[in-house]
Structure formats: C-alpha cells, structure tokens
C-alpha cells in the first residue's frame, strides 16, 4: 500500500509539474521552479518573525507570497528593464535569497530555519502523514489530497485558458492583434506555477518538483512539436519516471525523490536516442531524393 | 567614518584576505559571466553548484576523505561533465539553453541526493556534513584561497587573450562562427573549462549564491551600458569589484552582517541602477526618448494643421497657439 | 501501442515493488525500536540490552542536516513498535510526521523528560529552544531515565530488567558528568573558552562553566560577516587563547580563516582537534557510543586548551 501511495504522489506531482512545465519550457522560463525554491527563504523568515512559529501553515503562506513576488520581479526586470530572461531570473532569486540570509543572520541566527527543515516535505514519508478526521477515520495521505486539489486547479486553469496560453506562448504578436493580453496570461501562468510549486515543495520537497517541471516536458518536446501531444507525453513521462524512480529507490534503498529525478533523466536519454535515430532516418531519404527534385 | 578608514587601510588581516579574494573572484566571474550571459546561459552558476554534488559524493566514496582537494577534484569533474552535456544538448537538439540547464541540473542533483542516501547507509562516520563541506562563506576567505583565485584569474585572462576573436564570434553568432570554419567545439570546450574552473573554485570559497550572482549581475549590468564586447568585459570586471568592496565594507561595519549576501545586494543595486540610468539601453533614457519623440510628432502635427488654416481665421490660429502651448507645457 | 507497453511495464514495476515490500527483514526481537539520532539509539540500547533491536535513522556521521530519508526509512518507521526522537525541533519538519504516527503507536520525544527550566531558550521568539541537549551529561542522564520509565510502562513484562539497566547506565553517566567537570576544572578559568564554527555547545558551556563562542548561529544558513570574524580574531588574540575547535559536521574553513587572522596579528592559535557535535563517531570505535564520544570531546578540548597536544590536528 505504501508503494502505491508513493507512486501515486509522485504521479500527481509529475502531472501538475508536467502540464505547467510544458508551458515554461516553451516560454524559456524553465528555471523558474529552481528560482522559486531558492527565493522563498525571506518569506519563511518573515512568516516566522510575524507568527513566531515554525508550523507548516505560516511557512507555506510566507513562501507562497514570496513565490508570487519573485515571478513579478522576474517579469518586471524582463519586460520593463528589457533584461535577458535568464539573467532576470538569476538576479531575482539571488537577491531574494541574499535578503533571506541577511534576515536570518540578523534576527534569527539561533533558530534552525531554512527551507529544508521547515518547508520541504519528504516523499518517502507521504504514506505516514495521513489526513485524520476528528472522529478518527483516516482518509489517506494528506499530500495526495493536496496535490490532487492542485492538479484539479491546474487542469481547470489550462482547460479554461488553453487558447490564451497557447497563443501567447507561440506567437505573442499575433495574440496581441487578437486582443489577447500577453501580460495577463503571463502573470496568470506564473502565479499558478509559483503556488503549485510551493504547495508541492511542502508535500514532497524541492528536488522532485524542480526536476518534474523541466525534465518530462523537455523529453516530450524532443519528440513532438504539437502542444496537446507535448502535454500528454510529458504527463506520461512524468508517470513513468515516478514508477521507475520508485523501483530504483526500493532496489537501492535510496532517496525516493533523487531516484525519481534520475529516472526522469533516464527517460530523457532514451527519448534523445529515439530523436537522433529519427533524425538520421529522415536525413537519408531526403538526401537521396534531393537530386530528383532538381532534375 | 572611522570604520571606513580602518577598512580602507586594510590593516585587519581578515579584511585584507576577503577584499583581495573577492576582488580577484569578481574579476574572473565578471569575465566569464559576460560570455555565459551573451550565450544565454546566465544560470550556469546555479547549474554547476547543483551538479557538483554527485562528484563530491563519488570523490568521498573513492577517496574516503573530506579533504578539500579530494572533494574539489570530484566537483570539478562533475561540474565539467555537466557543462559538456549542456553544450552537447544545446548544439544537437532543439531544446533551448534554459531548459537544458535546468534538465542537467536536476538530474545531476537527483543523482547526488541518491548517492548521498547510499553513503548514509554505509555507516562511515566521516561522512558528516558532506553536503556542506564544499560550500564556503565569503567572510572566511584564507590566503590560500586568494592565491588560488590569482591563478584562476591568470588562466582566464590568458585564455581569453589567446582566443579573444574566436570567443567574440562564438558569443554573438554561433552559426556564423561555424560557417566561417572556426573550431567552434574547441572554443566551446575551452570556454566551458574556464567557466567551471572559476565557478567551482569560487563556490568552495564563497558559496553558491554569491557565486551565481557574481556570474550574472556584473555582466547583465554592463550590458546596459555598451554594445562592445571589450568595453562590456572591462565594465563587468569593474562592477564586480566595486560590489565586492561595498559588500565587504558593509559587513565590516556591524556584527551579524553576512559578507556574501551583502555583496549580492550591492550587485543587485548596481544592476538596477544600470537598468534605469544607462543612457541608451536604460529604462529612463528609453522613456525620455519616447517622450521627446511623441512631443516632436505632436508639435509637427500642430504645425501641419497651422499651415492649412486660411490667413483670415484668427480665432482658429489662437486655438492652435493654445494647443501648442499645452503640448509644450504638459507633454 | 507504445503507450500500452509503457503502461504495462509500469504496472509490472508496481507488482514487483508490491511483492517485495512485505518480504523485508523478520526480526525475532521482542520490540522493534526506531530512533532518529545515533545518540538516542545508543541511550535506548543501553536501557533495553542486547536482545532488543534498536535502529537509528541517522547512522554514524549522519547529522540531522545531512539526513535525507531513504526508501527503507519509511518501513523502519511503519514497522516500529516504538519510536524515540529528540524533539525541540532538531528533526525539523519530520516532527509533524512523527506526531502523526504518534496517534497510532508510541512516539516519544526524549526532550520531554527534561524539566523545562533546564532547557535553554534561544530567542524570545515563539517556541525556540536549543536542541543540542546531549552535551550536558546530567541532562542526558535525565533523558535516559525518561526513556527507561517509558519502556517500563510499555513493556511491563521486562520492566524490572529495564529499571536495573537504566539505573546502572545512569550511574555511569553521573560518573562521566563528574569526570568531565573535574577534567575541565584543570584548565585555568581564563583559558576555559570553547570556540567552534557553529553554536552547538551552549549546554556544554553552561554545565561545565566553559565560555562558548561560535562564529555561525545554530541555523546552517545563517552566515557570519567580516566583522564577526574580525571580532573573534581580536577576542582570541586579546585573551591569548591556545586553540579553536572544528566539528565533524561543519567545514573547517571558517576557523582556518580565524587561525590565519590571529597568526597575522602575531598570536598563534591552533585548531585543537575535531569535536563530535551532531553525530557520533564510527560504530565499533570508542567514539561510536555516547560515553566515548563525550570522553573524546572533553579530552580534545582539555588537551588543546592547556596546549598539551598539538599533534591532534588531523581531521
């Protein structure tokens, strides 16, 4: 039963991240997940200073607030300041993280307070952290409910905003002529991403989320150019990574999240092989055909 | 004021080591950072910082030691492999640099965590603190670090001078470089090597965040001021050093003021300043130009209309005059 | 077609995994006890004796910061009859999970066995206490008593056995406490200063009248600045202190900078040796259990502060 819960949790993370990550990869914002994982530090510190407690809820609220703030900052540097996208990501997260360290060193240096010990969950312990009603009935792991909820929200968001997201991702100027606001869809996507990642951090830790935001969508993108196919494939690769990763973790008695990230890398290498073979198969007939068409 | 004089006199040995160390580091990171930025790989610092974990774990497993040299060697090898795979994937697939960096980072880091858990079960007590051992903090730079940075700066400068032309073409137009028959892969290889060298050596002395920031911010700030590579390189080095001195000074004024993070904030301030005030590419300059242009157009429009008005219509002329005054005053 | 193969291989993996899970190790022991840190596991093992299996999630050298859960840890926790953990937020977010497990089986925070006034508060903010309770041997003796009392309650069949062992082990702890006090009293009070890279030794300092100074706070992400390093260098040169100490789990770098700063100011201070702070030494060696770890730490400190043994600088 534990195995199924863990794989289910991994799959839910993979679906959430795979769907959102596909848009991020296409918009060249893939590193946003990693940036958020660093940038939430000041949010945690401020939440602790205000709430005077290291419980999950205040930490989560603080982290989510800064998670949204960092995406706004990135966009401001990128759009208003015309800074290169990757540089604006890098400057935003290092600055916020540095502010977090300064706050900790100045106010709370004697308190053990960082993402690892107050925010990040651990996927291996998901089956133990059950949701228990007041009458004592257990409804299964809390993480499954939270991530399931997040997935529903993401599906609704993508379902309702598919057109806007697709147009602003692929052809921003065409979208603008249709009267679709690039800025609105950007912020809508980015705030969904930051909320989803922060909530997932709390359930399963950062490594898994960052990896699943990038690796399965990148794998899918190697194999297709069509958005719906890419969304489907990245969900599939996410699921496969969760399964294979869990198997690896069991076989080696290692970290579940680490093994799932490695598994995602394995599927990527496999897809890379397919991609190269396909390229070669396409290249040869084309070369042979070329003279005929010229004659 | 006193603390400023004391700081600038460099009489405190630790101040001396930190200031010279961060100066040299700012120089090498500034130089390397310009190329990583222009090649859309600004986040390489972060990627290397994560990718070295499996190298550190393997070095510990093989060398049975946490000695800095053993771990640094493992880190260099893993960081270098990660950069080579990034180069390979960007070159051979349609994936963009940012996705590739994120992909390599998360897979390498996942592998590192996985290895870490298996080391945990080995029962080898000397593993204690393994994941933190390679990350230094800027306030504790030693003279050994300073001399190591010196060598790195020397290596970076020599290689840049030797291959400057090639790197320049590579940074602005890789396809063109390939088309005119430049040894793109060799150049890429050299660039990656000096990049990973400066990042890994920097990380073990000052930690991840400062290193990532030193790599990105000076280059990004310098980009606002110029379009010329040589000027950009010099500006980036200058800004890195300026921020290093400013941050080190702030952390010298009061206790519990961490050196590295203050340098990061100084870098951020410099970047935002450049973003706003740089004459050609800066935000304020751009707004000013747009405003002047809009005003010019408006005044020209008024002039056109004025020319169309028949000579007798003084009432219309008066209205046009009023309108022009309004534009001059408010627009 | 492709999808089908993928799915079926996934299902296959699920099956394999599902079959493997229950086939884990069968133990013949009466109780299965899981502890978070090595120190607690050592205390519990001394109370229950060799017949009962005691496992530590964080083995030799694994401190709470390094610790990353592996797949087997889940099984350890879910199959355990009894779980001991440190508490006072040493285990971070894992405490929430331990408390959840606590609703179905006995999960005990050993720090609950210490009277509140002996626990050091770190800040005025909320519930923030210093979790490094094992550095005061007399407090650790209270912890052992608490562990013993709980075991007697839970396993009444062997209560007498536990009580006897607890008493014996507490005696040796009390002896150790006296020994530590005596050893440290041989260091002149002006020299009795323990300087380490991070602030883990407050309990030690309070119990044995040692002035404690750390460069970095308890939080591993907190960072010291140039002023802190410079002040510490001035303090050491001013007081003519002989040695500073490295911890096994913290890089030696910050202290190397301090040592170098002192040397350039004309005061020679050495790295007096490596202390076990958050994790014990290799199993099977003298430092592999609590008594040995404390003895090793105290010997290192006393020798280095008196300037006796400068050879012991390897780490």
């Amino acid at each position: 039963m534990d195995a199924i819960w863990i794989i289910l949790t991994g799959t839910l993370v993979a679906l959430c991240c795979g769907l959102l990550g596909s848009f991020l990869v296409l918009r060249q914002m893939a590193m946003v997940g990693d940036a958020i994982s660093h940038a939430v530090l000041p949010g945690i510190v401020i939440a602790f200073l205000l709430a005077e407690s290291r419980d999950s809820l205040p930490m989560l609220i603080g982290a989510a607030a800064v998670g949204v703030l960092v995406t706004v900052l990135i966009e401001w540097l990128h759009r208003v300041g015309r800074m290169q996208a990757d540089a604006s990501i890098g400057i935003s997260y290092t600055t916020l993280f540095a502010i977090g360290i300064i706050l900790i060193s100045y106010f709370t240096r004697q308190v053990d307070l960082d993402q690892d010990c107050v925010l990040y969950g651990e996927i291996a312990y998901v089956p133990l952290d059950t949701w228990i009603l007041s009458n004592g009935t257990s409804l299964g792991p809390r993480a499954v409910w939270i991530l399931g909820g997040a997935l529903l929200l993401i599906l609704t968001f993508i379902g309702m905003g598919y057109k806007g997201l697709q147009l602003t991702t692929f052809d921003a100027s065409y979208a603008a002529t249709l009267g679709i606001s690039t800025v609105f869809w950007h912020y809508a996507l980015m705030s969904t991403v930051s909320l989803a990642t922060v909530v997932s951090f709390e359930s399963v830790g950062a490594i898994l989320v960052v990896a699943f935001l990038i690796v399965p969508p990148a794998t899918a993108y190697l194999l297709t150019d069509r958005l719906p196919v890419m969304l489907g494939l990245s969900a599939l690769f996410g699921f496969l990574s969760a399964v294979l990763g869990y198997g690896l973790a069991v076989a080696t008695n290692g970290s579940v999240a680490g093994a799932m990230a490695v598994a995602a890398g394995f599927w990527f290498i496999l897809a890379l092989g397919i991609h190269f073979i396909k390229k070669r198969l396409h290249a040869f007939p084309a070369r042979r055909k070329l003279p005929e068409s010229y004659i | 004021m006193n603390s400023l004089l004391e700081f600038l006199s460099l009489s405190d040995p630790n101040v001396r080591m930190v200031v010279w160390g961060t100066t040299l580091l700012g120089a090498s990171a500034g130089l390397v950072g310009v190329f990583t930025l222009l090649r859309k790989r600004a986040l390489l610092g972060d990627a290397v910082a994560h990718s070295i974990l499996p190298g550190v774990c393997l070095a510990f497993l093989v060398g049975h030691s946490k000695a800095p040299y053993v771990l640094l060697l493992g880190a260099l090898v893993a960081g270098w492999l990660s950069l080579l795979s990034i180069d390979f994937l960007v070159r051979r697939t349609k994936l963009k640099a940012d996705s590739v960096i994120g992909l390599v980072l998360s897979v390498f880091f996942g592998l590192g965590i996985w290895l870490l858990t298996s080391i945990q079960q080995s029962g080898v007590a000397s593993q204690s603190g393994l994941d933190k051992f390679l990350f230094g903090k800027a306030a504790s730079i030693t003279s050994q670090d300073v001399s190591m940075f010196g060598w790195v700066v020397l290596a970076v400068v020599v290689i840049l001078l030797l291959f400057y032309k090639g790197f320049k073409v590579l940074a602005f137009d890789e396809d063109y470089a390939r088309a005119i028959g430049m040894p793109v892969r060799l150049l890429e290889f050299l660039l990656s090597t000096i990049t990973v060298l400066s990042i890994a050596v920097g990380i073990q002395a000052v930690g991840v965040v400062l290193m990532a920031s030193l790599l990105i911010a000076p280059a990004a700030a310098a980009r606002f001021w110029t379009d010329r590579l040589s000027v950009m390189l010099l500006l980036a080095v200058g800004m890195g050093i300026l921020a290093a001195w400013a941050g080190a000074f702030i952390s010298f004024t009061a206790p519990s003021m961490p050196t590295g993070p203050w340098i990061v904030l100084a870098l951020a301030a410099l970047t935002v300043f450049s973003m706003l005030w740089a004459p050609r590419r800066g935000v304020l300059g751009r707004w000013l130009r747009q405003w002047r242009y809009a005003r010019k157009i408006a005044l020209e429009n008024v002039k056109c209309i004025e020319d169309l008005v028949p000579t007798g219509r003084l009432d219309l002329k008066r209205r046009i005059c009023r309108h022009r005054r309004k534009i001059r005053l408010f627009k | 077609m492709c999808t089908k193969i993928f799915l079926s291989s996934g299902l296959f993996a699920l099956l394999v995994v599902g079959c493997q899970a229950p086939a884990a190790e069968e133990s013949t022991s009466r109780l299965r006890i899981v502890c978070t840190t090595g120190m607690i596991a050592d205390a519990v093992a001394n109370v229950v004796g060799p017949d009962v299996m005691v496992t530590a999630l964080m083995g030799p050298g694994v401190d709470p910061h390094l610790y990353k859960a592996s797949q087997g840890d889940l099984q350890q926790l879910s199959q355990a009859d009894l779980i001991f953990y440190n508490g006072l937020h040493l285990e971070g977010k894992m405490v929430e999970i331990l408390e959840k497990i606590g609703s179905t089986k006995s999960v005990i925070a050993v720090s609950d066995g210490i009277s509140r006034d002996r626990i050091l508060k770190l800040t005025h903010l909320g519930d923030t206490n210093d979790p490094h309770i094992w550095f005061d041997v007399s407090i650790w003796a209270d912890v052992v008593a608490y562990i013993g009392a709980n075991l007697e309650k839970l396993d009444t069949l062997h209560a007498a056995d536990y009580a006897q062992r607890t008493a014996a082990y507490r005696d040796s702890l009390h002896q150790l406490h006296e020994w530590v006090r005596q050893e440290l009293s041989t260091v002149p009070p002006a020299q009795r200063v323990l300087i380490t890279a991070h602030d883990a030794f407050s309990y030690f300092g309070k119990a044995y009248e040692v002035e404690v100074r750390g460069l970095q706070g308890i939080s591993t992400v907190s960072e010291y600045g140039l002023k802190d390093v410079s002040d510490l260098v001035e303090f050491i040169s001013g007081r003519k202190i002989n040695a500073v100490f490295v911890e096994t789990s913290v890089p030696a770098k910050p202290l190397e900078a301090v040592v170098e700063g002192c040397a350039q100011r004309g005061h020679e201070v050495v790295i007096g040796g490596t202390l076990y702070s958050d994790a014990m030494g290799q199993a099977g060696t003298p430092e592999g259990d609590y008594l040995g770890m404390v003895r090793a730490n105290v010997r290192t400190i006393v020798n280095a502060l008196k300037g006796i043994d400068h050879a012991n600088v390897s780490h």
Side-chain angles (χ1 to χ4, degrees):
Chain A
M1 198 56 204
D2 287 349
I4 291 168
W5 283 130
I6 291 178
I7 292 177
L8 181 60
T9 312
T11 309
L12 285 172
V13 176
L15 293 178
C16 291
C17 293
L19 295 176
L20 292 173
S22 298
F23 289 102
L24 292 180
V25 164
L26 291 171
R27 285 166 174 253
Q28 300 189 34
M29 281 276 170
M31 288 291 279
V32 157
D34 181 62
I36 293 173
S37 77
H38 292 284
V40 293
L41 185 64
I44 291 173
V45 186
I46 292 170
F48 170 75
L49 288 173
L50 293 177
E52 298 200 1
S53 133
R54 280 176 285 190
D55 292 342
S56 287
L57 192 66
M59 297 295 118
L60 200 57
I61 293 171
V66 180
V68 174
L69 175 73
V70 69
T71 58
V72 173
L73 205 59
I74 291 170
E75 186 58 11
W76 182 74
L77 290 175
H78 182 51
R79 200 176 293 271
V80 179
R82 306 256 169 109
M83 198 184 280
Q84 210 172 293
D86 54 351
S88 55
I89 293 176
I91 287 174
S92 311
Y93 94 79
T94 49
T95 307
L96 282 170
F97 193 75
I99 291 174
I101 297 180
I102 290 173
L103 288 175
I104 286 189
S105 306
Y106 200 73
F107 293 108
T108 65
R109 62 191 291 268
Q110 296 300 6
V111 183
D112 212 359
L113 191 70
D114 57 53
Q115 295 103 310
D116 261 324
C117 74
V118 296
L119 182 66
Y120 293 168
E122 168 57 57
I123 186 168
Y125 291 148
V126 155
L128 297 175
D129 191 1
T130 46
W131 188 19
I132 298 163
L133 291 182
S134 50
N135 61 12
T137 38
S138 167
L139 293 175
R142 201 172 54 96
V144 170
W145 286 98
I146 292 175
L147 291 168
L151 180 62
L152 266 183
L153 275 178
I154 291 167
L155 282 175
T156 330
F157 170 66
I158 292 180
M160 282 168 55
Y162 186 78
K163 185 129 199 214
L165 282 171
Q166 186 193 24
L167 281 171
T168 52
T169 302
F170 285 106
D171 195 345
S173 47
Y174 177 58
T177 58
L178 289 181
I180 296 170
S181 165
T182 336
V183 181
F184 170 78
W185 284 107
H186 179 85
Y187 280 120
L189 176 67
M190 284 305 166
S191 35
T192 318
V193 168
S194 37
L195 294 179
T197 45
V198 171
V199 167
S200 315
F201 288 162
E202 203 271 330
S203 299
V204 300
I207 314 156
L208 195 61
V209 180
V210 174
F212 277 180
L213 266 176
I214 306 174
V215 186
T219 314
Y221 187 45
L222 271 186
L223 300 178
T224 179
D225 279 324
R226 296 186 46 227
L227 183 59
V229 184
M230 184 173 165
L231 290 173
L233 276 180
S234 56
L236 174 70
F237 281 120
F239 165 70
L240 291 175
S241 309
V243 174
L244 178 66
Y246 185 73
L248 283 176
V250 171
T252 57
N253 191 15
S255 151
V256 176
M260 283 183 180
V262 173
F266 169 79
W267 294 118
F268 176 79
I269 291 172
L270 207 67
L272 193 68
I274 295 173
H275 173 73
F276 283 148
I277 292 168
K278 246 170 55 182
K279 240 183 170 174
R280 188 147 295 175
L281 288 182
H282 283 294
F284 279 125
R287 219 174 283 161
R288 237 178 284 138
K289 260 183 221 156
L290 206 60
E292 289 169 27
S293 61
Y294 273 92
I295 296 163
Chain B
M1 200 60 217
N2 273 338
S3 59
L4 181 63
L5 285 178
E6 196 190 339
F7 177 78
L8 289 175
S9 73
L10 299 183
S11 57
D12 187 313
N14 291 95
V15 172
R16 208 155 51 222
M17 292 187 284
V18 168
V19 164
W20 292 131
T22 47
T23 301
L24 289 170
L25 192 62
S28 65
L31 292 173
V32 170
V34 165
F35 290 99
T36 55
L37 181 92
L38 291 175
R39 302 184 71 212
K40 308 266 186 283
R41 291 163 200 204
L43 293 164
L44 270 189
D46 198 32
V48 173
H50 285 92
S51 307
I52 57 178
L53 187 60
V56 170
C57 291
L58 284 176
F60 175 77
L61 282 174
V62 175
H64 294 291
S65 152
K66 269 188 310 192
Y69 292 109
V70 177
L71 298 189
L72 188 59
L73 190 71
L76 274 173
V77 173
W80 190 63
L81 278 180
S82 76
L83 283 200
L84 292 189
S85 19
I86 289 171
D87 282 344
F88 173 79
L89 289 173
V90 173
R91 193 168 56 228
R92 296 290 298 274
T93 67
K94 61 180 173 178
L95 292 173
K96 296 289 180 301
D98 71 309
S99 312
V100 170
I101 289 175
L103 187 138
V104 169
L105 172 157
S106 41
V107 175
F108 270 64
F109 192 62
L111 185 65
I113 295 289
W114 192 29
L115 283 172
L116 209 57
T117 44
S118 60
I119 295 177
Q120 267 179 29
Q121 274 132 35
S122 67
V124 182
S126 59
Q127 65 179 283
S128 203
L130 184 59
D131 59 338
K132 306 246 161 17
F133 252 63
L134 205 62
F135 302 117
K137 300 200 164 152
S140 49
I141 290 178
T142 59
S143 55
Q144 207 182 5
D145 292 325
V146 177
S147 60
M148 191 140 69
F149 294 159
W151 289 112
V152 170
V153 171
L154 193 69
V156 169
V157 170
V158 166
I159 291 183
L160 279 186
L161 286 177
L162 283 178
F163 299 93
Y164 183 73
K165 268 236 171 85
F167 288 154
K168 190 172 172 178
V169 183
L170 187 68
F172 286 107
D173 196 342
E174 206 176 312
D175 295 328
Y176 176 68
R178 203 166 287 130
I180 60 172
M182 280 196 159
V184 171
R185 291 173 77 160
L186 176 73
L187 290 172
E188 230 172 26
F189 178 82
L190 280 172
L191 204 52
S192 294
T193 308
I194 54 172
T195 308
V196 74
L197 192 69
S198 18
I199 296 176
V201 167
I203 283 173
Q204 62 84 35
V206 303
V208 180
V209 200
L210 178 55
M211 197 56 228
S213 176
L214 272 176
L215 205 63
I216 305 167
R223 186 74 187 94
F224 285 109
W225 298 93
T226 178
D227 288 331
R228 289 187 51 199
L229 182 63
S230 53
V231 182
M232 192 176 160
L233 285 167
L234 290 177
L235 273 177
V237 170
M239 296 213 195
I241 292 174
L242 184 64
W245 281 67
F249 172 64
I250 293 171
S251 86
F252 187 64
T253 54
S256 296
M257 286 289 177
T259 312
W262 276 109
I263 299 180
V264 173
L265 286 197
L267 283 167
L270 268 178
T271 314
V272 172
F273 176 83
S274 308
M275 188 179 96
L276 294 177
W277 290 98
R280 279 200 38 236
R281 303 170 63 103
V283 173
L284 295 178
R286 197 172 68 230
W287 283 348
L288 189 71
R289 271 197 309 281
Q290 280 169 357
W291 171 72
R292 275 199 188 131
Y293 186 67
R295 184 171 132 133
K296 199 175 139 213
I297 298 283
L299 288 173
E300 269 169 15
N301 287 349
V302 173
K303 181 95 174 67
C304 285
I305 295 168
E306 196 180 19
D307 290 346
L308 293 176
V309 175
T311 37
R313 297 290 300 272
L314 278 177
D315 55 330
L316 276 182
K317 286 240 167 175
R318 216 170 291 133
R319 271 175 68 184
I320 288 171
C321 254
R322 228 181 295 145
H323 191 62
R324 179 181 284 149
R325 218 176 298 137
K326 237 196 246 162
I327 293 174
R328 288 225 168 101
L329 272 177
F330 300 110
K331 211 169 166 189
Chain C
M1 171 59 198
C2 234
T3 332
K4 237 182 197 167
I5 292 174
F6 276 141
L7 276 178
S8 52
S9 66
L11 284 177
F12 176 69
L14 266 177
L15 278 176
V16 172
V17 165
C19 297
Q20 265 177 358
E25 75 237 59
E26 267 318 304
S27 144
T28 48
S29 73
R30 310 179 292 221
L31 273 172
R32 230 172 315 194
I33 303 176
V34 172
C35 309
T36 52
T37 69
M39 280 76 83
I40 301 173
D42 183 62
V44 174
N46 274 297
V47 171
V48 294
D51 299 338
V52 180
M53 199 170 81
V54 182
T55 353
L57 292 181
M58 303 169 198
V62 183
D63 60 278
H65 291 290
L66 180 72
Y67 173 71
K68 295 270 182 307
S70 64
Q71 204 280 326
D73 294 352
L74 169 66
Q75 276 181 32
Q76 302 266 23
L77 284 177
S78 47
Q79 288 172 4
D81 302 306
L82 179 56
I83 297 168
F84 286 106
Y85 69 103
N86 189 81
L88 305 178
H89 215 270
L90 182 77
E91 288 90 352
K93 208 176 147 63
M94 211 181 138
V95 173
E96 286 174 19
I97 287 154
L98 292 170
E99 280 168 357
K100 277 269 167 63
I101 306 173
S103 61
T104 51
K105 61 177 95 169
S106 304
V107 179
I108 294 154
V110 297
S111 55
D112 288 347
I114 312 165
S115 70
R116 284 284 119 179
D117 54 309
R118 298 198 70 182
I119 292 175
L120 294 178
K121 265 189 96 57
L122 293 171
T123 58
H124 59 280
L125 293 163
D127 193 21
T128 48
N129 302 306
D130 190 342
H132 302 90
I133 44 175
W134 54 92
F135 285 115
D136 179 341
V137 183
S138 64
I139 289 184
W140 200 243
D142 289 356
V143 165
V144 168
Y146 186 64
I147 291 172
N150 272 294
L151 279 165
E152 283 165 41
K153 248 192 320 203
L154 289 165
D155 188 5
T156 39
L157 213 61
H158 301 89
D161 192 19
Y162 295 146
Q164 188 206 337
R165 282 174 185 282
T166 308
Y169 189 54
R170 285 190 67 195
D171 276 348
S172 46
L173 285 176
H174 285 306
Q175 275 167 23
L176 181 68
H177 183 65
E178 283 311 309
W179 177 82
V180 175
R181 208 198 282 266
Q182 260 170 25
E183 280 292 302
L184 282 163
S185 67
T186 60
V187 181
Q191 283 290 312
R192 225 180 286 156
V193 187
L194 179 63
I195 294 161
T196 52
H198 104 292
D199 272 338
F201 291 88
S202 307
Y203 284 102
F204 187 83
K206 195 173 173 227
Y208 307 110
E209 287 157 13
V210 178
E211 198 177 335
V212 174
R213 278 235 176 176
L215 204 48
Q216 189 185 348
I218 280 187
S219 165
T220 44
V221 291
S222 79
E223 205 176 313
Y224 44 87
L226 204 39
K227 183 75 178 162
D228 304 297
V229 174
S230 174
D231 283 353
L232 189 61
V233 166
E234 213 156 277
F235 174 80
I236 294 173
S237 342
R239 289 271 293 265
K240 301 259 176 283
I241 289 159
N242 285 328
V244 295
F245 298 90
V246 179
E247 292 158 66
T248 48
S249 58
V250 181
K253 203 69 187 301
L255 291 172
E256 282 165 10
V258 168
V259 168
E260 209 182 327
C262 288
Q264 293 199 23
R265 285 183 178 213
H267 170 70
E268 207 209 328
V269 56
V270 295
I271 290 187
T274 311
L275 304 179
Y276 297 94
S277 57
D278 288 354
M280 300 191 302
Q282 186 87 44
T285 62
E287 297 81 26
D289 64 24
Y290 177 78
L291 300 175
M293 173 183 89
V294 173
R295 269 191 217 114
N297 278 350
V298 170
R299 271 198 206 108
T300 310
I301 293 169
V302 170
N303 287 346
L305 287 183
K306 285 200 215 157
I308 293 175
D309 187 9
H310 281 185
N312 187 21
V313 284
S314 62
H315 46 270

